[in-house]
Amino acid sequence: MNFLSEQISGPEEIAIRDLLQAHAQPGMLVAELGTFTGRSALAMLPVVAAHGGHFYAVDWFRGNGGVEASLTEDYRNHDVLNTLRQNISASGFEWNFSLLVGSTISVGRIIADHSLDAIFFDADHRYTPMRLDLEIW
């Protein structure tokens, strides 16, 4: 897998997977807001697939506007969207995965209330955008 940079640590990956497993249910529907190259998605996908569920990745693949962060260079220098697609294809979980390209705000407005079993919020980490994601999702 090519994750371009270290987005989450091994212990964080295990914690995300274990938390999802603790709340797993048959046919579960899970969304991740802010997917980048899919490292956290690939931590959750085995749990989702084992329960016959589906995973929705939401990202607009532009980074956080107005923010210089370590990932900003990755967006400038790499095809992050294609890297995600390659990682998911190589994982074997492509049948349990759907990519929704768009802002978390625009995609959140078309998702039915109470239709998801779990949401992993990992898009824009600033207070106002995060608060808006929480309100919409």
Side-chain angles (χ1 to χ4, degrees):
M1 300 289 165
N2 178 11
F3 298 115
L4 300 180
S5 61
E6 185 75 20
Q7 300 117 47
I8 61 172
S9 67
E12 290 169 327
E13 188 176 336
I14 292 167
I16 291 166
R17 183 176 40 248
D18 289 351
L19 182 61
L20 189 60
Q21 180 62 46
H23 298 281
Q25 55 187 321
M28 64 193 301
L29 300 176
V30 177
E32 177 181 37
L33 310 185
T35 301
F36 194 58
T37 58
R39 180 152 183 196
S40 50
L42 289 169
M44 294 180 272
L45 269 162
V47 175
V48 172
H51 291 85
H54 202 81
F55 187 92
Y56 297 93
V58 180
D59 205 312
W60 70 341
F61 297 98
R62 297 183 205 166
N64 296 337
V67 175
E68 273 299 314
S70 59
L71 300 181
T72 304
E73 284 300 311
D74 289 330
Y75 282 105
R76 287 187 190 131
N77 299 324
H78 302 280
D79 184 347
V80 175
L81 173 57
N82 192 48
T83 301
L84 169 65
R85 287 180 172 145
Q86 290 171 356
N87 287 340
I88 296 302
S89 180
S91 76
F93 293 112
E94 59 267 53
W95 299 110
N96 300 89
F97 180 89
S98 292
L99 178 59
L100 305 173
V101 178
S103 74
T104 57
I105 304 305
S106 61
V107 174
R109 289 186 172 134
I110 63 169
I111 301 297
D113 287 346
H114 308 288
S115 61
L116 299 169
D117 298 299
I119 304 170
F120 182 60
F121 291 85
D122 196 24
D124 194 324
H125 296 189
R126 294 173 292 174
Y127 177 80
T128 300
M130 181 66 194
R131 190 175 125 235
L132 190 54
D133 278 344
L134 287 168
E135 289 172 7
I136 290 173
W137 285 86

